[in-house]
Amino acid sequence: MRKPFIAGNWKMNMTHMEAAIFMQDFHYDMKNKNGCEICICPPFTALRGIKNIIDSDKIDVAIGAQNMHWEKSGAFTGEISPEMLEALKVDYVIIGHSERRQYFAETNETVNKKVRAAFAHNLKPVMCIGEDIDIRQSGKAEEFVLSQLAACLDGLEEKSVTGLTVAYEPIWAIGTGKTATSKDAEDMCAAIRKKISSIYGPDIAEAVRIQYGGSVKPSNITELMNMPDIDGALVGGASIKVDDFLAIINY
Ligand code: PGA
């Protein structure tokens, strides 16, 4: 049985002070009736502050970064390394979000390097893949997403892949208010699992968690979570509103 996994991707929102207020409000009202694993991915500047609140108040929430470099240290001005995140005891790291691919020239090759670096530093990657609207309309979405998946996993060992989360995020659904239908989302997540099975075998494919992301909100989460191959959600906009994020967790 895969534990449902709901992660909030705050993107470039909230100062470290706003983040602390969010955590207090969130904790005050926190319920988790489905026993989900919950993860909050704030900007780098808020990681330490949130981690301290989680630890001191013993809040059952994991913490994740939104990106990182693959090298452990070096002359990479402005970058954050896996070693730094490991030292902060960050649990997860989002890798290859479509906004990183679109605005910061990330490719399947850099995603692959980062996923490997994450595992080497005890960080669990949430690896994002997904097609844009042109690819969806051309009818080649599945082919495209599965080739992204294979390229991003290239050379990854079986024992690592069990700890992987894949986030299927159709780009046309991100921040647009348009969600994929639960059937389209399920079909793609099932295809992703089948592909993982063809590379690593059925046991690993059964263990890997697959999230859907793209305009997830309180009104559509239940339907998505009822799908057999959707194990959770990567939530953007709705994750920075305490009430919405709590409603999503308690779908
Ligand atoms: P959204 O973002 O929920 O605001 O569509 C999802 C994401 O980018 O991970």
Side-chain angles (χ1 to χ4, degrees):
M1 268 302 275
R2 297 179 295 269
K3 189 173 183 173
F5 179 27
I6 310 274
N9 170 16
W10 286 6
K11 310 194 179 186
M12 197 174 70
N13 293 295
M14 299 226 242
T15 65
H16 71 290
M17 286 178 294
E18 288 163 341
I21 294 167
F22 177 100
M23 276 319 289
Q24 270 148 12
D25 292 348
F26 180 79
H27 185 211
Y28 188 78
D29 289 331
M30 190 173 148
K31 282 192 286 293
N32 184 1
K33 73 170 182 161
N34 301 309
C36 294
E37 182 167 1
I38 305 166
C39 178
I40 287 180
C41 304
F44 290 124
T45 47
L47 281 172
R48 175 69 184 238
I50 292 197
K51 178 76 185 150
N52 286 343
I53 294 172
I54 286 174
D55 289 349
S56 61
D57 291 347
K58 300 193 171 44
I59 310 177
D60 192 11
V61 167
I63 186 159
Q66 297 173 16
N67 177 38
M68 64 173 197
H69 199 276
W70 58 85
E71 291 287 346
K72 169 162 134 178
S73 61
F76 299 101
T77 302
E79 291 291 313
I80 299 288
S81 81
E83 198 171 74
M84 295 168 189
L85 297 178
E86 185 181 22
L88 272 181
K89 299 201 165 42
V90 162
D91 306 287
Y92 287 91
V93 56
I94 300 173
I95 304 283
H97 189 279
S98 63
E99 286 151 17
R100 301 287 322 165
R101 294 175 187 255
Q102 188 182 350
Y103 305 127
F104 302 97
E106 293 211 14
T107 61
N108 292 335
E109 288 71 44
T110 61
V111 171
N112 181 257
K113 285 186 190 177
K114 290 180 180 196
V115 169
R116 288 160 184 258
F119 283 125
H121 290 272
N122 298 309
L123 301 161
K124 289 172 272 185
V126 175
M127 189 182 88
C128 304
I129 49 179
E131 81 286 357
D132 65 20
I133 191 65
D134 293 341
I135 298 171
R136 168 65 49 178
Q137 282 169 350
S138 73
K140 297 212 163 84
E142 186 175 307
E143 190 187 316
F144 177 85
V145 169
L146 298 186
S147 81
Q148 266 188 327
L149 176 72
C152 293
L153 291 179
D154 189 37
L156 246 107
E157 289 178 34
E158 279 178 28
K159 66 173 183 351
S160 300
V161 177
T162 336
L164 177 77
T165 299
V166 177
Y168 166 57
E169 298 205 302
I171 297 170
W172 47 271
I174 296 178
T176 56
K178 275 189 238 153
T179 327
T181 64
S182 48
K183 180 173 182 311
D184 283 351
E186 165 61 20
D187 287 352
M188 189 65 85
C189 293
I192 290 170
R193 198 176 306 286
K194 201 161 148 215
K195 179 78 177 176
I196 295 174
S197 179
S198 76
I199 309 174
Y200 295 102
D203 291 350
I204 289 179
E206 277 305 304
V208 168
R209 288 187 295 188
I210 305 176
Q211 294 176 321
Y212 166 79
S215 299
V216 171
K217 5 177 210 263
S219 58
N220 58 26
I221 183 71
T222 307
E223 201 181 324
L224 289 161
M225 292 304 287
N226 279 336
M227 296 290 141
D229 287 290
I230 300 179
D231 307 312
L234 183 55
V235 186
S239 74
I240 54 177
K241 295 177 202 131
V242 171
D243 293 348
D244 282 1
F245 195 48
L246 279 168
I248 288 171
I249 290 159
N250 293 289
Y251 58 89

PDB file of all heavy atoms in Angstrom, residues 25-44:
ATOM      1  N   ASP A  25      -0.439  28.916  11.827  1.00  0.00           N
ATOM      2  CA  ASP A  25      -1.869  28.788  11.501  1.00  0.00           C
ATOM      3  C   ASP A  25      -2.200  27.367  11.058  1.00  0.00           C
ATOM      4  O   ASP A  25      -3.211  26.787  11.448  1.00  0.00           O
ATOM      5  CB  ASP A  25      -2.260  29.748  10.356  1.00  0.00           C
ATOM      6  CG  ASP A  25      -2.195  31.204  10.790  1.00  0.00           C
ATOM      7  OD1 ASP A  25      -2.071  31.461  12.006  1.00  0.00           O
ATOM      8  OD2 ASP A  25      -2.234  32.086   9.898  1.00  0.00           O
ATOM      9  N   PHE A  26      -1.321  26.828  10.243  1.00  0.00           N
ATOM     10  CA  PHE A  26      -1.528  25.487   9.688  1.00  0.00           C
ATOM     11  C   PHE A  26      -1.553  24.455  10.819  1.00  0.00           C
ATOM     12  O   PHE A  26      -2.443  23.610  10.897  1.00  0.00           O
ATOM     13  CB  PHE A  26      -0.396  25.185   8.701  1.00  0.00           C
ATOM     14  CG  PHE A  26      -0.481  23.835   8.054  1.00  0.00           C
ATOM     15  CD1 PHE A  26      -1.364  23.623   6.999  1.00  0.00           C
ATOM     16  CD2 PHE A  26       0.323  22.781   8.478  1.00  0.00           C
ATOM     17  CE1 PHE A  26      -1.438  22.370   6.389  1.00  0.00           C
ATOM     18  CE2 PHE A  26       0.240  21.534   7.877  1.00  0.00           C
ATOM     19  CZ  PHE A  26      -0.644  21.335   6.833  1.00  0.00           C
ATOM     20  N   HIS A  27      -0.590  24.572  11.713  1.00  0.00           N
ATOM     21  CA  HIS A  27      -0.493  23.615  12.816  1.00  0.00           C
ATOM     22  C   HIS A  27      -1.708  23.723  13.736  1.00  0.00           C
ATOM     23  O   HIS A  27      -2.243  22.731  14.213  1.00  0.00           O
ATOM     24  CB  HIS A  27       0.807  23.870  13.590  1.00  0.00           C
ATOM     25  CG  HIS A  27       1.055  22.858  14.662  1.00  0.00           C
ATOM     26  ND1 HIS A  27       1.717  23.162  15.822  1.00  0.00           N
ATOM     27  CD2 HIS A  27       0.723  21.554  14.753  1.00  0.00           C
ATOM     28  CE1 HIS A  27       1.773  22.083  16.577  1.00  0.00           C
ATOM     29  NE2 HIS A  27       1.192  21.094  15.960  1.00  0.00           N
ATOM     30  N   TYR A  28      -2.138  24.949  13.980  1.00  0.00           N
ATOM     31  CA  TYR A  28      -3.269  25.196  14.878  1.00  0.00           C
ATOM     32  C   TYR A  28      -4.517  24.452  14.388  1.00  0.00           C
ATOM     33  O   TYR A  28      -5.253  23.863  15.164  1.00  0.00           O
ATOM     34  CB  TYR A  28      -3.528  26.708  14.952  1.00  0.00           C
ATOM     35  CG  TYR A  28      -4.540  27.080  15.996  1.00  0.00           C
ATOM     36  CD1 TYR A  28      -4.181  27.125  17.348  1.00  0.00           C
ATOM     37  CD2 TYR A  28      -5.858  27.388  15.637  1.00  0.00           C
ATOM     38  CE1 TYR A  28      -5.125  27.457  18.316  1.00  0.00           C
ATOM     39  CE2 TYR A  28      -6.797  27.722  16.605  1.00  0.00           C
ATOM     40  CZ  TYR A  28      -6.431  27.754  17.931  1.00  0.00           C
ATOM     41  OH  TYR A  28      -7.351  28.064  18.888  1.00  0.00           O
ATOM     42  N   ASP A  29      -4.732  24.471  13.073  1.00  0.00           N
ATOM     43  CA  ASP A  29      -5.949  23.858  12.500  1.00  0.00           C
ATOM     44  C   ASP A  29      -5.704  22.471  11.925  1.00  0.00           C
ATOM     45  O   ASP A  29      -6.599  21.871  11.332  1.00  0.00           O
ATOM     46  CB  ASP A  29      -6.471  24.742  11.352  1.00  0.00           C
ATOM     47  CG  ASP A  29      -7.071  26.032  11.864  1.00  0.00           C
ATOM     48  OD1 ASP A  29      -7.572  26.026  13.006  1.00  0.00           O
ATOM     49  OD2 ASP A  29      -7.033  27.039  11.135  1.00  0.00           O
ATOM     50  N   MET A  30      -4.498  21.964  12.074  1.00  0.00           N
ATOM     51  CA  MET A  30      -4.119  20.757  11.338  1.00  0.00           C
ATOM     52  C   MET A  30      -4.912  19.518  11.732  1.00  0.00           C
ATOM     53  O   MET A  30      -5.023  19.185  12.898  1.00  0.00           O
ATOM     54  CB  MET A  30      -2.629  20.473  11.533  1.00  0.00           C
ATOM     55  CG  MET A  30      -2.104  19.394  10.615  1.00  0.00           C
ATOM     56  SD  MET A  30      -0.322  19.255  10.771  1.00  0.00           S
ATOM     57  CE  MET A  30      -0.117  17.506  10.452  1.00  0.00           C
ATOM     58  N   LYS A  31      -5.467  18.880  10.708  1.00  0.00           N
ATOM     59  CA  LYS A  31      -6.076  17.554  10.847  1.00  0.00           C
ATOM     60  C   LYS A  31      -5.516  16.768   9.676  1.00  0.00           C
ATOM     61  O   LYS A  31      -5.128  17.347   8.667  1.00  0.00           O
ATOM     62  CB  LYS A  31      -7.600  17.640  10.686  1.00  0.00           C
ATOM     63  CG  LYS A  31      -8.333  18.163  11.902  1.00  0.00           C
ATOM     64  CD  LYS A  31      -9.846  17.944  11.787  1.00  0.00           C
ATOM     65  CE  LYS A  31     -10.546  18.879  10.815  1.00  0.00           C
ATOM     66  NZ  LYS A  31     -10.568  20.294  11.182  1.00  0.00           N
ATOM     67  N   ASN A  32      -5.477  15.458   9.837  1.00  0.00           N
ATOM     68  CA  ASN A  32      -4.951  14.643   8.742  1.00  0.00           C
ATOM     69  C   ASN A  32      -5.727  13.339   8.742  1.00  0.00           C
ATOM     70  O   ASN A  32      -5.203  12.290   9.073  1.00  0.00           O
ATOM     71  CB  ASN A  32      -3.441  14.437   8.948  1.00  0.00           C
ATOM     72  CG  ASN A  32      -2.797  13.686   7.807  1.00  0.00           C
ATOM     73  OD1 ASN A  32      -3.452  13.323   6.831  1.00  0.00           O
ATOM     74  ND2 ASN A  32      -1.499  13.438   7.923  1.00  0.00           N
ATOM     75  N   LYS A  33      -6.989  13.438   8.361  1.00  0.00           N
ATOM     76  CA  LYS A  33      -7.884  12.284   8.541  1.00  0.00           C
ATOM     77  C   LYS A  33      -7.545  11.111   7.631  1.00  0.00           C
ATOM     78  O   LYS A  33      -7.912   9.981   7.923  1.00  0.00           O
ATOM     79  CB  LYS A  33      -9.343  12.715   8.414  1.00  0.00           C
ATOM     80  CG  LYS A  33      -9.788  13.045   7.019  1.00  0.00           C
ATOM     81  CD  LYS A  33     -11.303  13.224   6.961  1.00  0.00           C
ATOM     82  CE  LYS A  33     -11.683  13.491   5.578  1.00  0.00           C
ATOM     83  NZ  LYS A  33     -12.735  13.429   4.875  1.00  0.00           N
ATOM     84  N   ASN A  34      -6.850  11.374   6.531  1.00  0.00           N
ATOM     85  CA  ASN A  34      -6.506  10.271   5.634  1.00  0.00           C
ATOM     86  C   ASN A  34      -5.123   9.687   5.933  1.00  0.00           C
ATOM     87  O   ASN A  34      -4.667   8.786   5.235  1.00  0.00           O
ATOM     88  CB  ASN A  34      -6.514  10.758   4.181  1.00  0.00           C
ATOM     89  CG  ASN A  34      -7.864  11.323   3.784  1.00  0.00           C
ATOM     90  OD1 ASN A  34      -8.885  10.680   3.973  1.00  0.00           O
ATOM     91  ND2 ASN A  34      -7.874  12.551   3.266  1.00  0.00           N
ATOM     92  N   GLY A  35      -4.446  10.242   6.932  1.00  0.00           N
ATOM     93  CA  GLY A  35      -3.097   9.752   7.245  1.00  0.00           C
ATOM     94  C   GLY A  35      -2.119   9.967   6.105  1.00  0.00           C
ATOM     95  O   GLY A  35      -1.265   9.127   5.821  1.00  0.00           O
ATOM     96  N   CYS A  36      -2.231  11.112   5.445  1.00  0.00           N
ATOM     97  CA  CYS A  36      -1.338  11.413   4.326  1.00  0.00           C
ATOM     98  C   CYS A  36       0.053  11.749   4.834  1.00  0.00           C
ATOM     99  O   CYS A  36       0.212  12.258   5.943  1.00  0.00           O
ATOM    100  CB  CYS A  36      -1.796  12.680   3.593  1.00  0.00           C
ATOM    101  SG  CYS A  36      -3.339  12.534   2.763  1.00  0.00           S
ATOM    102  N   GLU A  37       1.023  11.541   3.991  1.00  0.00           N
ATOM    103  CA  GLU A  37       2.313  12.169   4.236  1.00  0.00           C
ATOM    104  C   GLU A  37       2.187  13.585   3.670  1.00  0.00           C
ATOM    105  O   GLU A  37       1.723  13.775   2.540  1.00  0.00           O
ATOM    106  CB  GLU A  37       3.425  11.401   3.534  1.00  0.00           C
ATOM    107  CG  GLU A  37       4.757  12.023   3.827  1.00  0.00           C
ATOM    108  CD  GLU A  37       5.937  11.149   3.433  1.00  0.00           C
ATOM    109  OE1 GLU A  37       5.739  10.048   2.903  1.00  0.00           O
ATOM    110  OE2 GLU A  37       7.063  11.620   3.667  1.00  0.00           O
ATOM    111  N   ILE A  38       2.548  14.561   4.473  1.00  0.00           N
ATOM    112  CA  ILE A  38       2.408  15.965   4.073  1.00  0.00           C
ATOM    113  C   ILE A  38       3.804  16.561   3.951  1.00  0.00           C
ATOM    114  O   ILE A  38       4.656  16.321   4.804  1.00  0.00           O
ATOM    115  CB  ILE A  38       1.624  16.763   5.141  1.00  0.00           C
ATOM    116  CG1 ILE A  38       0.266  16.115   5.423  1.00  0.00           C
ATOM    117  CG2 ILE A  38       1.456  18.233   4.730  1.00  0.00           C
ATOM    118  CD1 ILE A  38      -0.418  16.646   6.689  1.00  0.00           C
ATOM    119  N   CYS A  39       4.013  17.331   2.903  1.00  0.00           N
ATOM    120  CA  CYS A  39       5.324  17.984   2.749  1.00  0.00           C
ATOM    121  C   CYS A  39       5.104  19.432   2.313  1.00  0.00           C
ATOM    122  O   CYS A  39       4.253  19.698   1.464  1.00  0.00           O
ATOM    123  CB  CYS A  39       6.152  17.238   1.711  1.00  0.00           C
ATOM    124  SG  CYS A  39       7.757  17.978   1.410  1.00  0.00           S
ATOM    125  N   ILE A  40       5.872  20.323   2.905  1.00  0.00           N
ATOM    126  CA  ILE A  40       5.830  21.728   2.499  1.00  0.00           C
ATOM    127  C   ILE A  40       7.166  22.088   1.868  1.00  0.00           C
ATOM    128  O   ILE A  40       8.224  21.787   2.415  1.00  0.00           O
ATOM    129  CB  ILE A  40       5.503  22.615   3.719  1.00  0.00           C
ATOM    130  CG1 ILE A  40       4.024  22.410   4.058  1.00  0.00           C
ATOM    131  CG2 ILE A  40       5.809  24.094   3.442  1.00  0.00           C
ATOM    132  CD1 ILE A  40       3.516  23.186   5.227  1.00  0.00           C
ATOM    133  N   CYS A  41       7.092  22.703   0.688  1.00  0.00           N
ATOM    134  CA  CYS A  41       8.307  23.087  -0.039  1.00  0.00           C
ATOM    135  C   CYS A  41       8.343  24.608  -0.175  1.00  0.00           C
ATOM    136  O   CYS A  41       7.832  25.168  -1.159  1.00  0.00           O
ATOM    137  CB  CYS A  41       8.333  22.435  -1.418  1.00  0.00           C
ATOM    138  SG  CYS A  41       8.178  20.647  -1.373  1.00  0.00           S
ATOM    139  N   PRO A  42       8.909  25.292   0.800  1.00  0.00           N
ATOM    140  CA  PRO A  42       8.966  26.752   0.763  1.00  0.00           C
ATOM    141  C   PRO A  42      10.211  27.204  -0.015  1.00  0.00           C
ATOM    142  O   PRO A  42      11.032  26.368  -0.394  1.00  0.00           O
ATOM    143  CB  PRO A  42       9.125  27.107   2.248  1.00  0.00           C
ATOM    144  CG  PRO A  42       9.952  25.982   2.794  1.00  0.00           C
ATOM    145  CD  PRO A  42       9.574  24.757   2.000  1.00  0.00           C
ATOM    146  N   PRO A  43      10.372  28.489  -0.234  1.00  0.00           N
ATOM    147  CA  PRO A  43      11.630  28.971  -0.814  1.00  0.00           C
ATOM    148  C   PRO A  43      12.804  28.641   0.121  1.00  0.00           C
ATOM    149  O   PRO A  43      12.608  28.429   1.320  1.00  0.00           O
ATOM    150  CB  PRO A  43      11.439  30.489  -0.899  1.00  0.00           C
ATOM    151  CG  PRO A  43       9.969  30.710  -0.788  1.00  0.00           C
ATOM    152  CD  PRO A  43       9.424  29.588   0.019  1.00  0.00           C
ATOM    153  N   PHE A  44      14.006  28.631  -0.428  1.00  0.00           N
ATOM    154  CA  PHE A  44      15.202  28.293   0.363  1.00  0.00           C
ATOM    155  C   PHE A  44      15.304  29.111   1.652  1.00  0.00           C
ATOM    156  O   PHE A  44      15.699  28.604   2.690  1.00  0.00           O
ATOM    157  CB  PHE A  44      16.481  28.554  -0.454  1.00  0.00           C
ATOM    158  CG  PHE A  44      16.682  27.590  -1.583  1.00  0.00           C
ATOM    159  CD1 PHE A  44      16.833  28.039  -2.891  1.00  0.00           C
ATOM    160  CD2 PHE A  44      16.745  26.221  -1.346  1.00  0.00           C
ATOM    161  CE1 PHE A  44      17.038  27.155  -3.938  1.00  0.00           C
ATOM    162  CE2 PHE A  44      16.955  25.320  -2.391  1.00  0.00           C
ATOM    163  CZ  PHE A  44      17.100  25.792  -3.690  1.00  0.00           C
TER     164      PHE A  44
END
